[in-house]
Amino acid sequence: MVFGDFDGDRVRRYAEAINRFSGKLAVVIGGGRIARNFIGIARGLGADEVWCDEIGIVVTRINAMVLLSGLKGCAPVVPEDFSSAKLLLTDYDKVVMGGTFPGHTTDATAALLAEALKAEQLLIATSVDGVYSSDPRRDSEATRFEELTPEELVEIVARNDVRAGSSSVVDLLASKIIQRSRIPTVIFEGTPENVERALKGEKIGTIIRP
Ligand code: U5P
C-alpha cells in the first residue's frame, strides 16, 4: 500500500478500511512520492543506490507509524524484520510495517512477509488498476490482464528496472517470491475503497493464480 503524499483524509480512509476487516492482517506500507522525492535529491547529490534504498526504507517506516496511529487491534510497534512481525501477530490481529533491507521495493517486502506467514493471500495495492502488457502510462496499446500465472508475471516485470524508488507495477523480486511461494495474489489500484473491496474478497485488478 502506498500513500500519494501528505493526505490525512486518505490515510484515515485506509485505516478505516483496515479496521473494518476482522481477522489476521499484516500490512506493508510503501514510501510513496515522499520517498521518491528524497531518493531523487540524494541520488542527485551522488548517493549510491543502497543509500537511496535506506532513505526509502526510513520513509516507509514513518508511513507505517502514521497509519498505525489510526489502527485498532494492531501491534503498537513497527517491526523491522519478518520474525518480529510474525511474533507480534501471535499476540495481535494486525501488524503494520515498512521496508526491511535494500535492493527492492515494499512489494517484495510484502511478498516475503506473506511467505514467512504462510498467508492465504497477498494483496498488492499499487498505482495502476492491474498488470498490463506494457506500461499503460506510456503505451496506449497496453492491455490489462484479468489473470496471470506467477511465471507470466515474472516474465512481464523482468522487463523493468530495479533502481531505488522504481515504479514498476510490482518489482522483480516480489514476482519471484510470488512464484516460489505459490501464494494467490491480487494486484490492484490501491485506493482506500479498493483496499476494502480486496479485503472483502471482491474481484478486482489482476489475479495471479498459481
Ligand atoms: N526499499 C528498500 N527495501 C525495502 C523497502 C523499500 O530498499 O524493503 C526502498 C526502495 O528504494 C523503494 C523505496 O523504492 O524504499 C520506497 O518503497 P516503495 O514505495 O518503492 O515500496
Short mmCIF file of all heavy atoms in Angstrom, two decimals, residues 103-105 107-108 111 124 126 128 130-138 143 145 148-163 166-180 185 187 206 208:
data_model
loop_
_atom_site.label_atom_id
_atom_site.label_comp_id
_atom_site.label_asym_id
_atom_site.label_seq_id
_atom_site.Cartn_x
_atom_site.Cartn_y
_atom_site.Cartn_z
N GLY A 103 17.50 -3.03 -1.86
CA GLY A 103 17.56 -3.85 -3.08
C GLY A 103 16.21 -4.16 -3.70
O GLY A 103 16.16 -4.85 -4.72
N HIS A 104 15.14 -3.68 -3.09
CA HIS A 104 13.82 -3.98 -3.65
C HIS A 104 12.82 -2.99 -3.10
O HIS A 104 13.16 -2.16 -2.25
CB HIS A 104 13.41 -5.41 -3.32
CG HIS A 104 13.47 -5.74 -1.86
ND1 HIS A 104 12.51 -5.33 -0.96
CD2 HIS A 104 14.39 -6.42 -1.14
CE1 HIS A 104 12.84 -5.76 0.24
NE2 HIS A 104 13.98 -6.42 0.17
N THR A 105 11.57 -3.08 -3.54
CA THR A 105 10.53 -2.18 -3.03
C THR A 105 9.71 -2.94 -1.97
O THR A 105 9.97 -4.12 -1.70
CB THR A 105 9.57 -1.72 -4.15
OG1 THR A 105 8.76 -2.83 -4.52
CG2 THR A 105 10.32 -1.21 -5.37
N ASP A 107 6.88 -4.05 -2.35
CA ASP A 107 6.15 -5.19 -2.95
C ASP A 107 6.84 -6.48 -2.52
O ASP A 107 6.19 -7.46 -2.13
CB ASP A 107 6.22 -5.14 -4.49
CG ASP A 107 5.58 -3.92 -5.08
OD1 ASP A 107 4.71 -3.34 -4.42
OD2 ASP A 107 5.97 -3.55 -6.20
N ALA A 108 8.18 -6.48 -2.63
CA ALA A 108 8.93 -7.68 -2.27
C ALA A 108 8.87 -7.92 -0.76
O ALA A 108 8.78 -9.07 -0.31
CB ALA A 108 10.38 -7.56 -2.74
N ALA A 111 5.66 -9.58 -0.19
CA ALA A 111 5.66 -10.96 -0.68
C ALA A 111 6.46 -11.86 0.28
O ALA A 111 6.03 -12.98 0.59
CB ALA A 111 6.25 -11.01 -2.09
N ILE A 124 -1.69 -6.74 -3.34
CA ILE A 124 -0.74 -5.67 -3.64
C ILE A 124 -1.50 -4.47 -4.18
O ILE A 124 -2.01 -4.46 -5.30
CB ILE A 124 0.34 -6.13 -4.64
CG1 ILE A 124 1.14 -7.30 -4.02
CG2 ILE A 124 1.28 -4.97 -4.99
CD1 ILE A 124 2.32 -7.77 -4.82
N THR A 126 -1.47 -1.00 -5.61
CA THR A 126 -0.47 -0.23 -6.33
C THR A 126 -1.09 0.98 -7.02
O THR A 126 -2.23 1.36 -6.71
CB THR A 126 0.29 -1.18 -7.30
OG1 THR A 126 1.31 -0.47 -7.96
CG2 THR A 126 -0.63 -1.83 -8.32
N VAL A 128 -1.58 1.40 -10.38
CA VAL A 128 -2.34 1.09 -11.60
C VAL A 128 -3.37 0.00 -11.30
O VAL A 128 -3.23 -0.73 -10.31
CB VAL A 128 -1.43 0.63 -12.78
CG1 VAL A 128 -0.78 1.80 -13.46
CG2 VAL A 128 -0.40 -0.37 -12.33
N GLY A 130 -4.05 -2.87 -12.30
CA GLY A 130 -3.75 -4.26 -12.59
C GLY A 130 -2.45 -4.35 -13.39
O GLY A 130 -1.74 -3.36 -13.55
N VAL A 131 -2.16 -5.55 -13.87
CA VAL A 131 -0.94 -5.77 -14.65
C VAL A 131 -1.27 -5.65 -16.13
O VAL A 131 -2.24 -6.25 -16.60
CB VAL A 131 -0.34 -7.16 -14.35
CG1 VAL A 131 0.97 -7.36 -15.12
CG2 VAL A 131 -0.10 -7.34 -12.85
N TYR A 132 -0.48 -4.85 -16.83
CA TYR A 132 -0.68 -4.60 -18.25
C TYR A 132 0.43 -5.24 -19.08
O TYR A 132 1.52 -5.52 -18.56
CB TYR A 132 -0.70 -3.09 -18.52
CG TYR A 132 -2.00 -2.41 -18.14
CD1 TYR A 132 -2.33 -2.18 -16.81
CD2 TYR A 132 -2.92 -2.02 -19.12
CE1 TYR A 132 -3.52 -1.56 -16.46
CE2 TYR A 132 -4.11 -1.39 -18.79
CZ TYR A 132 -4.41 -1.17 -17.45
OH TYR A 132 -5.59 -0.56 -17.11
N SER A 133 0.14 -5.41 -20.36
CA SER A 133 1.14 -6.00 -21.28
C SER A 133 2.36 -5.09 -21.40
O SER A 133 3.47 -5.55 -21.66
CB SER A 133 0.50 -6.23 -22.65
OG SER A 133 -0.11 -5.03 -23.09
N SER A 134 2.17 -3.77 -21.23
CA SER A 134 3.29 -2.81 -21.17
C SER A 134 2.79 -1.65 -20.30
O SER A 134 1.63 -1.66 -19.87
CB SER A 134 3.68 -2.33 -22.57
OG SER A 134 2.55 -1.85 -23.24
N ASP A 135 3.64 -0.65 -20.04
CA ASP A 135 3.26 0.43 -19.12
C ASP A 135 2.11 1.27 -19.71
O ASP A 135 2.32 1.98 -20.71
CB ASP A 135 4.49 1.31 -18.85
CG ASP A 135 4.23 2.35 -17.76
OD1 ASP A 135 3.04 2.61 -17.45
OD2 ASP A 135 5.20 2.90 -17.22
N PRO A 136 0.91 1.23 -19.10
CA PRO A 136 -0.24 1.96 -19.67
C PRO A 136 -0.07 3.47 -19.64
O PRO A 136 -0.75 4.19 -20.36
CB PRO A 136 -1.42 1.52 -18.78
CG PRO A 136 -0.81 1.03 -17.52
CD PRO A 136 0.56 0.52 -17.86
N ARG A 137 0.88 3.97 -18.78
CA ARG A 137 1.11 5.41 -18.73
C ARG A 137 1.91 5.89 -19.94
O ARG A 137 1.97 7.06 -20.25
CB ARG A 137 1.85 5.78 -17.43
CG ARG A 137 0.94 5.64 -16.20
CD ARG A 137 1.73 5.63 -14.91
NE ARG A 137 2.57 4.44 -14.81
CZ ARG A 137 3.06 3.96 -13.68
NH1 ARG A 137 2.81 4.57 -12.56
NH2 ARG A 137 3.80 2.87 -13.68
N ARG A 138 2.58 4.91 -20.61
CA ARG A 138 3.41 5.31 -21.77
C ARG A 138 2.91 4.71 -23.07
O ARG A 138 3.24 5.19 -24.14
CB ARG A 138 4.86 4.83 -21.55
CG ARG A 138 5.54 5.70 -20.51
CD ARG A 138 6.98 5.27 -20.27
NE ARG A 138 7.38 5.65 -18.92
CZ ARG A 138 8.10 4.91 -18.11
NH1 ARG A 138 8.54 3.74 -18.50
NH2 ARG A 138 8.40 5.33 -16.90
N THR A 143 -2.65 -3.61 -22.81
CA THR A 143 -3.90 -4.28 -22.40
C THR A 143 -3.73 -4.86 -21.00
O THR A 143 -2.65 -5.31 -20.63
CB THR A 143 -4.28 -5.42 -23.37
OG1 THR A 143 -3.15 -6.28 -23.53
CG2 THR A 143 -4.72 -4.88 -24.72
N PHE A 145 -4.41 -7.52 -17.96
CA PHE A 145 -4.68 -8.95 -17.77
C PHE A 145 -5.65 -9.15 -16.61
O PHE A 145 -5.49 -8.55 -15.56
CB PHE A 145 -3.39 -9.71 -17.48
CG PHE A 145 -2.37 -9.64 -18.58
CD1 PHE A 145 -1.24 -8.84 -18.46
CD2 PHE A 145 -2.54 -10.37 -19.75
CE1 PHE A 145 -0.30 -8.76 -19.47
CE2 PHE A 145 -1.60 -10.31 -20.78
CZ PHE A 145 -0.49 -9.50 -20.64
N LEU A 148 -3.17 -14.01 -14.41
CA LEU A 148 -1.86 -14.43 -14.91
C LEU A 148 -1.35 -15.57 -14.02
O LEU A 148 -1.75 -15.67 -12.86
CB LEU A 148 -0.84 -13.29 -14.79
CG LEU A 148 -0.95 -12.08 -15.73
CD1 LEU A 148 -0.01 -10.98 -15.25
CD2 LEU A 148 -0.62 -12.47 -17.16
N THR A 149 -0.44 -16.37 -14.56
CA THR A 149 0.27 -17.31 -13.69
C THR A 149 1.48 -16.55 -13.12
O THR A 149 1.90 -15.53 -13.69
CB THR A 149 0.80 -18.52 -14.50
OG1 THR A 149 1.73 -18.03 -15.46
CG2 THR A 149 -0.33 -19.27 -15.17
N PRO A 150 2.07 -17.04 -12.02
CA PRO A 150 3.26 -16.36 -11.48
C PRO A 150 4.38 -16.29 -12.53
O PRO A 150 5.10 -15.30 -12.60
CB PRO A 150 3.67 -17.24 -10.30
CG PRO A 150 2.43 -17.98 -9.91
CD PRO A 150 1.64 -18.17 -11.17
N GLU A 151 4.49 -17.32 -13.35
CA GLU A 151 5.54 -17.35 -14.37
C GLU A 151 5.33 -16.22 -15.38
O GLU A 151 6.28 -15.55 -15.79
CB GLU A 151 5.53 -18.71 -15.11
CG GLU A 151 6.04 -19.88 -14.29
CD GLU A 151 5.14 -20.29 -13.11
OE1 GLU A 151 3.91 -20.07 -13.18
OE2 GLU A 151 5.68 -20.81 -12.11
N GLU A 152 4.06 -16.00 -15.76
CA GLU A 152 3.77 -14.91 -16.71
C GLU A 152 4.09 -13.56 -16.08
O GLU A 152 4.61 -12.66 -16.73
CB GLU A 152 2.30 -14.97 -17.16
CG GLU A 152 2.02 -16.14 -18.08
CD GLU A 152 0.52 -16.42 -18.28
OE1 GLU A 152 -0.30 -16.08 -17.38
OE2 GLU A 152 0.18 -17.00 -19.32
N LEU A 153 3.77 -13.43 -14.77
CA LEU A 153 4.05 -12.17 -14.07
C LEU A 153 5.56 -11.89 -14.07
O LEU A 153 6.00 -10.78 -14.38
CB LEU A 153 3.53 -12.23 -12.62
CG LEU A 153 3.83 -11.00 -11.78
CD1 LEU A 153 3.00 -9.80 -12.25
CD2 LEU A 153 3.57 -11.26 -10.30
N VAL A 154 6.35 -12.91 -13.76
CA VAL A 154 7.81 -12.76 -13.73
C VAL A 154 8.30 -12.29 -15.10
O VAL A 154 9.11 -11.35 -15.19
CB VAL A 154 8.50 -14.09 -13.35
CG1 VAL A 154 10.00 -14.03 -13.58
CG2 VAL A 154 8.20 -14.45 -11.88
N GLU A 155 7.78 -12.89 -16.15
CA GLU A 155 8.23 -12.53 -17.50
C GLU A 155 7.91 -11.06 -17.82
O GLU A 155 8.74 -10.34 -18.38
CB GLU A 155 7.53 -13.46 -18.50
CG GLU A 155 8.23 -13.52 -19.83
CD GLU A 155 7.29 -14.01 -20.91
OE1 GLU A 155 6.62 -15.03 -20.69
OE2 GLU A 155 7.22 -13.33 -21.95
N ILE A 156 6.73 -10.60 -17.40
CA ILE A 156 6.34 -9.21 -17.68
C ILE A 156 7.20 -8.23 -16.90
O ILE A 156 7.71 -7.26 -17.45
CB ILE A 156 4.83 -9.01 -17.36
CG1 ILE A 156 3.99 -9.78 -18.39
CG2 ILE A 156 4.46 -7.52 -17.38
CD1 ILE A 156 2.53 -9.94 -17.99
N VAL A 157 7.38 -8.48 -15.59
CA VAL A 157 8.10 -7.47 -14.79
C VAL A 157 9.62 -7.52 -14.99
O VAL A 157 10.32 -6.56 -14.68
CB VAL A 157 7.74 -7.50 -13.28
CG1 VAL A 157 6.28 -7.28 -13.07
CG2 VAL A 157 8.20 -8.76 -12.62
N ALA A 158 10.12 -8.63 -15.54
CA ALA A 158 11.56 -8.74 -15.79
C ALA A 158 12.04 -7.68 -16.77
O ALA A 158 13.23 -7.36 -16.82
CB ALA A 158 11.91 -10.13 -16.31
N ARG A 159 11.09 -7.10 -17.52
CA ARG A 159 11.49 -6.06 -18.50
C ARG A 159 11.77 -4.72 -17.83
O ARG A 159 12.31 -3.82 -18.44
CB ARG A 159 10.37 -5.86 -19.52
CG ARG A 159 10.00 -7.13 -20.27
CD ARG A 159 8.87 -6.84 -21.26
NE ARG A 159 8.12 -8.06 -21.56
CZ ARG A 159 6.81 -8.12 -21.67
NH1 ARG A 159 6.07 -7.03 -21.51
NH2 ARG A 159 6.22 -9.27 -21.95
N ASN A 160 11.41 -4.56 -16.53
CA ASN A 160 11.55 -3.26 -15.87
C ASN A 160 12.89 -3.13 -15.13
O ASN A 160 13.56 -4.11 -14.89
CB ASN A 160 10.40 -3.04 -14.89
CG ASN A 160 9.08 -3.03 -15.61
OD1 ASN A 160 8.92 -2.36 -16.63
ND2 ASN A 160 8.13 -3.79 -15.10
N ASP A 161 13.21 -1.88 -14.69
CA ASP A 161 14.49 -1.67 -13.99
C ASP A 161 14.33 -1.89 -12.48
O ASP A 161 13.23 -2.06 -11.97
CB ASP A 161 15.08 -0.29 -14.30
CG ASP A 161 14.29 0.85 -13.67
OD1 ASP A 161 13.55 0.60 -12.71
OD2 ASP A 161 14.43 1.99 -14.15
N VAL A 162 15.46 -1.92 -11.75
CA VAL A 162 15.42 -2.23 -10.31
C VAL A 162 16.07 -1.13 -9.47
O VAL A 162 16.61 -1.39 -8.41
CB VAL A 162 16.10 -3.60 -9.99
CG1 VAL A 162 15.27 -4.74 -10.50
CG2 VAL A 162 17.52 -3.67 -10.54
N ARG A 163 16.03 0.11 -9.96
CA ARG A 163 16.63 1.21 -9.18
C ARG A 163 15.77 1.55 -7.96
O ARG A 163 14.59 1.25 -7.92
CB ARG A 163 16.74 2.47 -10.06
CG ARG A 163 17.68 2.25 -11.22
CD ARG A 163 18.15 3.50 -11.89
NE ARG A 163 17.24 4.62 -11.90
CZ ARG A 163 17.65 5.88 -12.01
NH1 ARG A 163 18.94 6.14 -12.08
NH2 ARG A 163 16.79 6.87 -12.07
N SER A 166 11.83 2.56 -7.76
CA SER A 166 11.29 2.08 -9.04
C SER A 166 9.76 2.15 -9.05
O SER A 166 9.12 2.01 -8.03
CB SER A 166 11.74 0.63 -9.26
OG SER A 166 10.93 -0.01 -10.20
N SER A 167 9.16 2.35 -10.25
CA SER A 167 7.70 2.45 -10.29
C SER A 167 7.08 1.35 -11.15
O SER A 167 6.00 1.51 -11.69
CB SER A 167 7.29 3.83 -10.80
OG SER A 167 7.81 3.99 -12.10
N SER A 168 7.77 0.22 -11.28
CA SER A 168 7.20 -0.93 -11.99
C SER A 168 5.94 -1.40 -11.25
O SER A 168 5.81 -1.17 -10.05
CB SER A 168 8.27 -2.03 -11.97
OG SER A 168 7.72 -3.28 -12.18
N VAL A 169 5.01 -2.06 -11.94
CA VAL A 169 3.75 -2.46 -11.29
C VAL A 169 4.00 -3.31 -10.04
O VAL A 169 3.37 -3.09 -9.00
CB VAL A 169 2.77 -3.12 -12.29
CG1 VAL A 169 3.33 -4.39 -12.90
CG2 VAL A 169 1.44 -3.42 -11.62
N VAL A 170 4.89 -4.26 -10.13
CA VAL A 170 5.46 -4.91 -8.91
C VAL A 170 6.92 -5.16 -9.22
O VAL A 170 7.29 -5.26 -10.38
CB VAL A 170 4.81 -6.28 -8.54
CG1 VAL A 170 3.44 -6.13 -7.98
CG2 VAL A 170 4.86 -7.26 -9.66
N ASP A 171 7.77 -5.26 -8.20
CA ASP A 171 9.17 -5.44 -8.56
C ASP A 171 9.49 -6.91 -8.81
O ASP A 171 8.72 -7.82 -8.51
CB ASP A 171 10.12 -4.74 -7.58
CG ASP A 171 10.27 -5.43 -6.25
OD1 ASP A 171 9.91 -6.61 -6.14
OD2 ASP A 171 10.77 -4.77 -5.32
N LEU A 172 10.67 -7.11 -9.45
CA LEU A 172 11.03 -8.45 -9.92
C LEU A 172 11.16 -9.44 -8.76
O LEU A 172 10.68 -10.58 -8.86
CB LEU A 172 12.34 -8.36 -10.72
CG LEU A 172 12.84 -9.64 -11.36
CD1 LEU A 172 11.80 -10.25 -12.29
CD2 LEU A 172 14.13 -9.39 -12.13
N LEU A 173 11.78 -8.99 -7.66
CA LEU A 173 11.93 -9.90 -6.53
C LEU A 173 10.55 -10.33 -6.01
O LEU A 173 10.32 -11.51 -5.74
CB LEU A 173 12.75 -9.24 -5.41
CG LEU A 173 12.96 -10.12 -4.17
CD1 LEU A 173 13.70 -11.41 -4.52
CD2 LEU A 173 13.72 -9.36 -3.08
N ALA A 174 9.62 -9.37 -5.93
CA ALA A 174 8.27 -9.72 -5.47
C ALA A 174 7.68 -10.80 -6.37
O ALA A 174 7.10 -11.78 -5.89
CB ALA A 174 7.38 -8.48 -5.46
N SER A 175 7.83 -10.63 -7.68
CA SER A 175 7.22 -11.61 -8.60
C SER A 175 7.88 -12.98 -8.43
O SER A 175 7.21 -14.01 -8.49
CB SER A 175 7.28 -11.11 -10.04
OG SER A 175 8.61 -11.05 -10.48
N LYS A 176 9.19 -13.00 -8.18
CA LYS A 176 9.88 -14.29 -7.98
C LYS A 176 9.44 -14.95 -6.67
O LYS A 176 9.31 -16.17 -6.58
CB LYS A 176 11.41 -14.08 -7.95
CG LYS A 176 12.00 -13.61 -9.25
CD LYS A 176 11.89 -14.61 -10.38
CE LYS A 176 12.90 -15.72 -10.34
NZ LYS A 176 12.78 -16.63 -11.51
N ILE A 177 9.20 -14.13 -5.64
CA ILE A 177 8.75 -14.70 -4.36
C ILE A 177 7.32 -15.23 -4.51
O ILE A 177 6.97 -16.28 -3.97
CB ILE A 177 8.83 -13.64 -3.23
CG1 ILE A 177 10.26 -13.13 -3.05
CG2 ILE A 177 8.30 -14.20 -1.89
CD1 ILE A 177 11.29 -14.17 -2.70
N ILE A 178 6.49 -14.49 -5.26
CA ILE A 178 5.12 -14.95 -5.52
C ILE A 178 5.18 -16.29 -6.26
O ILE A 178 4.43 -17.23 -5.96
CB ILE A 178 4.34 -13.89 -6.33
CG1 ILE A 178 4.07 -12.66 -5.46
CG2 ILE A 178 3.02 -14.46 -6.89
CD1 ILE A 178 3.61 -11.42 -6.23
N GLN A 179 6.13 -16.39 -7.19
CA GLN A 179 6.28 -17.62 -7.96
C GLN A 179 6.69 -18.79 -7.07
O GLN A 179 6.12 -19.87 -7.11
CB GLN A 179 7.33 -17.40 -9.06
CG GLN A 179 7.51 -18.60 -9.97
CD GLN A 179 8.66 -18.39 -10.96
OE1 GLN A 179 9.57 -17.59 -10.74
NE2 GLN A 179 8.59 -19.11 -12.06
N ARG A 180 7.66 -18.57 -6.18
CA ARG A 180 8.15 -19.70 -5.38
C ARG A 180 7.21 -20.05 -4.23
O ARG A 180 7.09 -21.20 -3.85
CB ARG A 180 9.58 -19.46 -4.90
CG ARG A 180 9.73 -18.73 -3.61
CD ARG A 180 11.13 -18.72 -3.09
NE ARG A 180 11.15 -17.92 -1.86
CZ ARG A 180 12.23 -17.55 -1.22
NH1 ARG A 180 13.41 -17.88 -1.69
NH2 ARG A 180 12.13 -16.85 -0.11
N THR A 185 -2.31 -14.14 -5.39
CA THR A 185 -2.03 -12.70 -5.23
C THR A 185 -2.99 -11.87 -6.08
O THR A 185 -3.35 -12.28 -7.17
CB THR A 185 -0.57 -12.44 -5.67
OG1 THR A 185 0.30 -13.23 -4.85
CG2 THR A 185 -0.18 -10.98 -5.56
N ILE A 187 -3.31 -7.96 -7.65
CA ILE A 187 -2.61 -6.68 -7.87
C ILE A 187 -3.66 -5.69 -8.38
O ILE A 187 -4.29 -5.91 -9.41
CB ILE A 187 -1.48 -6.86 -8.89
CG1 ILE A 187 -0.46 -7.88 -8.36
CG2 ILE A 187 -0.80 -5.51 -9.17
CD1 ILE A 187 0.59 -8.30 -9.36
N THR A 206 -5.79 -7.55 -11.20
CA THR A 206 -5.28 -8.77 -11.87
C THR A 206 -5.00 -9.83 -10.80
O THR A 206 -4.35 -9.55 -9.80
CB THR A 206 -3.97 -8.45 -12.63
OG1 THR A 206 -4.23 -7.46 -13.62
CG2 THR A 206 -3.41 -9.71 -13.29
N ILE A 208 -3.15 -13.23 -9.69
CA ILE A 208 -2.02 -14.11 -10.01
C ILE A 208 -2.34 -15.46 -9.38
O ILE A 208 -2.31 -15.61 -8.16
CB ILE A 208 -0.67 -13.58 -9.45
CG1 ILE A 208 -0.50 -12.08 -9.75
CG2 ILE A 208 0.50 -14.40 -9.98
CD1 ILE A 208 -0.52 -11.68 -11.21
#
